Amino acid sequence: MTDSTDSTDSTDSTEPAAGAPERRPGGRTARVRAQVLDAVRAELAEAGHEGLTVEGVAARAGVHRTTVYRRWRDVGGLLVDVIDAAGEMDWQPPDTGSLRGDLTALNREIQESLVVRPSFAVALMAASFHSEQAARAQTRLWADRYAQCEILVERAVERGELPARGARAATDLDARGLLVAATAPLYHQLVLLRADPDPRLPKRAAAAAVLAAAAGAFSVPRTKRA
C-alpha cells in the first residue's frame, strides 16, 4: 500500500481495457479491492458512517479517488462490497461435539466482535441504518450466516440432544429461532444496553436456548406438503 493518492486513472483503473484478457483472481484488481475494503473497515470503525467518505477511503487505501468512484460509485457501494466480502470469508460454524458447546463458542465469537475497540461489527450495524444498500446487503449476510449455522441444530438432533422429528411428526424444529434465541442476548446486552461484557453470558445464553429447545419451545407446526 502506498500513501500517494495522485496516481493517474490509467494506472489505478480496476477495469480491463477493451480487448484485454480478464484479470485472474489475485491480480491487480483483487489487490486494489483488498486495499480499498481494508480502508473502508478502518475508516468505518474509527469514524463511523458519518465520517466515511470516498476521498478518505481512497487516501487511506493509496489509490486515486476516481478508481473508487468508478468501481464503487459512492459510500453505499463501498459498504455493500465490504459486507459482501464478509460473506466470502471461509468461515465455518463451531463443532465442539455438543449443541451447548457449539452455541457457547459461537456466542464467544460474537462477543469478541462486539467488544473489540473500535468495533467494525457495531459500526457496520449503525451504518446500515443510514444506507438502504448496506441494509439489504447486511440482511443477506445475516440470513446466510443463520442458514450456515443451522447445521449446529441438525447435528444436535442426530446426536439425540434434541427430539428427532419423524416423517409423521406434526411439528418441525425451528432451527433459526433457536439460533436467534441463543445469540440475541449478546446483542441486547452489548449493543442496545451498552453494558460491560460479561464473560459468563455466552455460556448462559447458550444453555438457556438449549434447555428451551429440549422443552419444545422451538417446535412449529409442520407445513403440509402436497
Side-chain angles (χ1 to χ4, degrees):
M1 183 185 298
T2 64
D3 293 329
S4 173
T5 59
D6 296 326
S7 303
T8 63
D9 292 351
S10 62
T11 58
D12 271 317
S13 175
T14 61
E15 298 178 0
E22 185 177 345
R23 289 188 174 93
R24 298 186 304 274
R28 177 172 175 75
T29 299
R31 289 197 302 272
V32 169
R33 182 189 183 218
Q35 290 172 210
V36 169
L37 296 189
D38 281 346
V40 173
R41 296 182 189 101
E43 292 283 304
L44 189 61
E46 290 180 7
H49 178 268
E50 296 78 4
L52 186 65
T53 65
V54 169
E55 289 74 17
V57 168
R60 190 161 197 147
V63 301
H64 199 280
R65 63 180 179 274
T66 56
T67 296
V68 181
Y69 279 117
R70 182 182 298 111
R71 176 162 181 170
W72 289 276
R73 298 182 182 274
D74 54 24
V75 165
L78 289 167
L79 289 171
V80 168
D81 201 21
V82 83
I83 294 170
D84 288 346
E88 296 165 7
M89 294 173 56
D90 186 22
W91 179 84
Q92 296 297 323
D95 186 1
T96 67
S98 73
L99 180 59
R100 186 173 300 198
D102 290 347
L103 293 176
T104 298
L106 181 64
N107 280 348
R108 284 175 177 151
E109 286 186 34
I110 293 171
Q111 181 165 269
E112 183 178 349
S113 74
L114 297 177
V115 301
V116 66
R117 291 291 180 266
S119 172
F120 170 69
V122 172
L124 195 57
M125 281 187 274
S128 70
F129 287 95
H130 299 275
S131 167
E132 184 61 31
Q133 291 173 274
R136 288 195 298 268
Q138 184 155 267
T139 296
R140 289 195 303 270
L141 176 62
W142 280 77
D144 288 345
R145 281 288 187 261
Y146 276 122
Q148 196 173 1
C149 286
E150 287 181 10
I151 187 66
L152 306 185
V153 180
E154 294 171 12
R155 291 196 299 244
V157 171
E158 292 172 359
R159 289 190 296 258
E161 296 176 76
L162 297 176
R165 303 300 173 186
R168 295 181 179 276
T171 59
D172 279 323
L173 182 61
D174 180 6
R176 182 165 301 188
L178 195 166
L179 292 166
V180 170
T183 58
L186 280 298
Y187 295 99
H188 188 88
Q189 287 289 100
L190 298 171
V191 179
L192 298 182
L193 296 180
R194 302 193 181 193
D196 291 333
D198 180 353
R200 301 167 299 174
L201 183 58
K203 187 174 182 178
R204 286 168 50 195
V210 172
L211 289 172
F218 301 104
S219 295
V220 295
R222 172 163 288 183
T223 302
K224 292 183 178 179
R225 295 178 175 85

